[in-house]
Amino acid sequence: MLKALIAVQLRASFSMLFQIGSRGKKSTPVKKILVGLLVVYIVGVLGISTGFYFKMLLDGLKPAGLDWLYFAIAGITAFVLGFIGSVYMAQSALFAAKDNETLLSMPIPSHLILLSRTCTLYLLTFLFQAVILVPALVVWLIYQPFSLGMLVMFTLCALLLPFLVLVLSFLLGWLLSQISQRVRFKNLLIILFSLAFLAAYFILYSRLMSELANLLQRGSEIAAAVRRVFVPAYHMGIAITRQSAISLLVFAAFCLIPFGLVMLVIASNYNKVLTTVRGGPKVLYKGGGIRQGSLMGALTKKELRRFFSSPIYMLNSAITLVMMLGGAIYLLFNSKIITDLTTQMAMPSQLIGLVIVLAIALMSASVTMSSCAISLEGKQFWIIQTLPVSALQSLLAKAAAHVIICFPPIVITGIIMGFVFQFNAFYCVMSILLPLCTALFFALFGLLINLHFPKMSWQSETEVVKQSMSAFLAMFLGMTLMAGLGILYIAKLAEYIKPEAYLMMITGFFLILSGLIYLYFRAKAEGMYLRLSEAKK
């Protein structure tokens, strides 16, 4: 039974690679090849860039006799990446999955449900960490003599490390679950808590990375700090480089004992957690006049309510807006950084405005709200079919909600950037206009992707927001396109086209593409909605 539960969880997690949404149809060979090439490309880029980083570390640490610190740093980095990748999945997968009632109605013990979900989270966390650990191992094997004992120790440590990540992810997931059950304004509090936690985590980690940048000059000092503060990482490095069984046992104890205690606590109350249903706060109705609104207004408000009712949806699809706004406010009070950065980069003044405008546009292109909007309808998609609205109206409402969410952060960021960099009138306008046109295009483009890669059958919203093909493609293509436009101008077009003209060309480019997608929706939306509806029957 456990094997069957794990298989179901894994199929749900990796279905974006093997089938198109909820239609249950296998991908064609061409689509499989394209998806495979895309995955290979992304993994290759990450692996090569990470490999260069570890090559520099190895060159600096090995001559100083600090080879253990090499793997300690790899472990710390993998821990951070694994935590970022699993922290939001833990809360929804363990405590708020949509299939809880279905599983509990079957003769399945609650501890098996918990164990199957834990195994799935372990595997996903392991894959996140492999992005760091595999390049670190490859670099070591290329430039150091091969040792079977070292390889065995590395493999054991790599298998143990996810347990340490899951401890922190489970605790945070449990805390978020408790908050969501007991607090009236739970969504706001969960978002604020999550942002504060991640901000503190990134600040601590960035300080650590800034210290690690001085490894070549202060290797022994940093090694002593890691040995004193990051004890598990120290023993992981010693176990791998010295093949120390004692250090391996100590590292295993750090990973397995806290994990076992957390699992015992969760398992003892897991059935209660799954079956507890708390009512929402009572609201006293106050009579009053009722105003009739427009149809599009009602549909857009529905999409906005859906967005603000799901912390997972908000944090994963629009976190770049928070980062963009936070970065702008930070620069507003630390303008000296701008002077130092432009001086070090020796960037021509005429390019500064273009780079800043494109950077804001890139952040707005990273919002994936619309790419999940159709899939999140899930089993309630039939409701749209019963409403007196067309498929085109439904899609435009989802796009409108996407643009509305992006509008305030873009405008505020554009105003701050114009003040900080003392832009002229043209760049002040373009720092708002181009990102808004970018948001409009990617709102429509995200819906287009979601129509072709829907994921209507899901147990947790995390599957749609973090693991669906549509969200993945929207994020990847958005960032790639905007970065490519910037690189194209600086590398090839700067000599022939003025920055102002190039920004206007990009703005027109996105407006034209948005119009073409709109025309496509007018012609095809009804048929595509009908196919989605039939697939749900």
Side-chain angles (χ1 to χ4, degrees):
M1 184 177 294
L2 177 61
K3 182 179 179 181
L5 288 173
I6 294 175
V8 170
Q9 295 289 330
L10 291 177
R11 279 197 300 269
S13 298
F14 295 102
S15 62
M16 73 172 192
L17 296 178
F18 301 107
Q19 67 181 45
I20 302 176
S22 61
R23 301 176 191 179
K25 298 179 180 179
K26 294 289 184 179
S27 299
T28 64
V30 174
K31 289 181 179 178
K32 285 185 177 181
I33 293 174
L34 291 177
V35 171
L37 291 176
L38 182 60
V39 172
V40 169
Y41 170 76
I42 295 174
V43 172
V45 170
L46 292 175
I48 292 173
S49 60
T50 307
F52 278 118
Y53 168 74
F54 281 110
K55 176 61 169 60
M56 291 187 292
L57 278 181
L58 184 62
D59 291 341
L61 296 176
K62 184 64 177 178
L66 297 174
D67 49 353
W68 67 266
L69 186 57
Y70 174 84
F71 286 106
I73 294 173
I76 294 172
T77 309
F79 177 89
V80 173
L81 184 60
F83 173 76
I84 294 173
S86 65
V87 61
Y88 292 113
M89 292 189 290
Q91 190 267 339
S92 60
L94 290 181
F95 307 105
K98 298 296 183 181
D99 61 345
N100 285 340
E101 295 182 358
T102 302
L103 293 177
L104 291 175
S105 65
M106 301 178 181
I108 303 176
S110 59
H111 70 272
L112 288 183
I113 299 174
L114 173 62
L115 187 57
S116 66
R117 291 173 176 170
T118 301
C119 290
T120 303
L121 288 172
Y122 171 87
L123 179 58
L124 294 174
T125 304
F126 180 81
L127 293 177
F128 278 114
Q129 294 181 341
V131 174
I132 300 297
L133 294 179
V134 171
L137 176 63
V138 170
V139 170
W140 180 274
L141 293 177
I142 291 175
Y143 295 98
Q144 299 300 318
F146 175 78
S147 170
L148 180 60
M150 172 267 168
L151 187 60
V152 171
M153 286 294 187
F154 178 89
T155 303
L156 292 175
C157 290
L159 293 173
L160 287 169
L161 186 58
F163 290 107
L164 194 59
V165 175
L166 291 180
V167 171
L168 191 58
S169 297
F170 284 7
L171 290 176
L172 181 59
W174 175 82
L175 182 59
L176 293 178
S177 176
Q178 296 303 306
I179 292 175
S180 66
Q181 292 177 0
R182 289 176 169 81
V183 180
R184 179 175 181 179
F185 301 103
K186 58 182 182 180
N187 294 329
L188 177 61
L189 290 178
I190 288 175
I191 292 169
L192 293 177
F193 176 83
S194 301
L195 291 176
F197 184 88
L198 288 177
Y201 201 87
F202 281 123
I203 289 173
L204 291 175
Y205 184 69
S206 63
R207 289 181 178 178
L208 173 63
M209 289 297 103
S210 65
E211 292 296 324
L212 292 177
N214 300 321
L215 277 174
L216 296 179
Q217 292 76 25
R218 300 189 298 135
S220 298
E221 182 181 346
I222 298 298
V226 171
R227 182 175 182 176
R228 182 175 59 254
V229 178
F230 300 96
V231 179
Y234 165 73
H235 284 286
M236 176 181 174
I238 293 295
I240 295 174
T241 56
R242 307 290 190 270
Q243 288 90 60
S244 171
I246 295 177
S247 288
L248 178 64
L249 291 176
V250 173
F251 179 68
F254 271 103
C255 296
L256 296 179
I257 292 177
F259 176 78
L261 294 175
V262 170
M263 285 293 291
L264 285 176
V265 172
I266 295 177
S268 63
N269 299 281
Y270 197 57
N271 193 60
K272 180 180 179 181
V273 170
L274 295 183
T275 56
T276 299
V277 179
R278 303 180 188 272
K282 295 182 179 180
V283 179
L284 179 63
Y285 172 73
K286 297 180 180 180
I290 300 177
R291 293 187 304 172
Q292 180 179 0
S294 65
L295 178 60
M296 285 300 299
L299 291 173
T300 303
K301 289 179 181 178
K302 166 185 170 296
E303 297 300 328
L304 291 173
R305 284 194 299 268
R306 180 68 179 86
F307 177 78
F308 287 110
S309 67
S310 174
I312 294 176
Y313 190 15
M314 296 174 63
L315 289 170
N316 285 277
S317 65
I319 188 65
T320 52
L321 294 177
V322 179
M323 297 170 60
M324 176 177 67
L325 189 57
I329 295 174
Y330 178 79
L331 292 177
L332 181 62
F333 295 99
N334 295 272
S335 56
K336 185 177 181 296
I337 296 178
I338 302 298
T339 304
D340 296 340
L341 183 62
T342 53
T343 301
Q344 293 176 3
M345 296 180 64
M347 183 179 298
S349 57
Q350 63 268 24
L351 289 181
I352 295 178
L354 179 138
V355 171
I356 296 301
V357 172
L358 289 181
I360 301 174
L362 184 146
M363 299 295 282
S364 67
S366 303
V367 178
T368 59
M369 176 183 171
S370 66
S371 66
C372 308
I374 299 173
S375 295
L376 285 174
E377 299 287 349
K379 297 178 180 179
Q380 283 73 44
F381 185 74
W382 64 271
I383 297 177
I384 297 179
Q385 303 296 313
T386 64
L387 296 176
V389 298
S390 65
L392 179 62
Q393 290 173 318
S394 174
L395 290 173
L396 293 181
K398 296 178 187 297
H402 182 117
V403 175
I404 290 172
I405 294 298
C406 295
F407 185 84
I410 288 175
V411 172
I412 296 173
T413 301
I415 293 174
I416 293 176
M417 291 294 98
F419 176 78
V420 170
F421 288 92
Q422 299 181 351
F423 286 156
N424 57 31
F426 175 82
Y427 283 106
C428 286
V429 172
M430 292 305 298
S431 63
I432 297 175
L433 180 60
L434 178 57
L436 286 178
C437 292
T438 304
L440 172 62
F441 167 70
F442 282 101
L444 296 170
F445 184 65
L447 291 171
L448 180 63
I449 294 176
N450 204 187
L451 281 173
H452 287 279
F453 295 94
K455 186 179 179 69
M456 311 300 287
S457 297
W458 43 269
Q459 285 76 45
S460 169
E461 292 178 347
T462 304
E463 296 177 25
V464 177
V465 179
K466 292 180 70 72
Q467 302 171 18
S468 66
M469 177 60 75
S470 57
F472 170 75
L473 288 176
M475 172 69 76
F476 175 75
L477 295 176
M479 298 184 67
T480 302
L481 176 59
M482 296 309 303
L485 290 172
I487 295 173
L488 175 64
Y489 180 80
I490 294 175
K492 298 293 184 181
L493 303 179
E495 299 180 1
Y496 309 102
I497 304 176
K498 291 184 177 181
E500 295 83 357
Y502 189 66
L503 290 177
M504 293 179 65
M505 290 170 60
I506 296 176
T507 303
F509 173 71
F510 282 133
L511 289 176
I512 292 173
L513 290 181
S514 299
L516 293 176
I517 295 177
Y518 170 77
L519 294 176
Y520 179 83
F521 284 163
R522 288 191 60 178
K524 302 291 186 179
E526 291 291 346
M528 301 184 79
Y529 259 44
L530 181 60
R531 285 194 294 273
L532 286 177
S533 180
E534 290 175 347
K536 295 301 297 174
K537 293 180 180 178

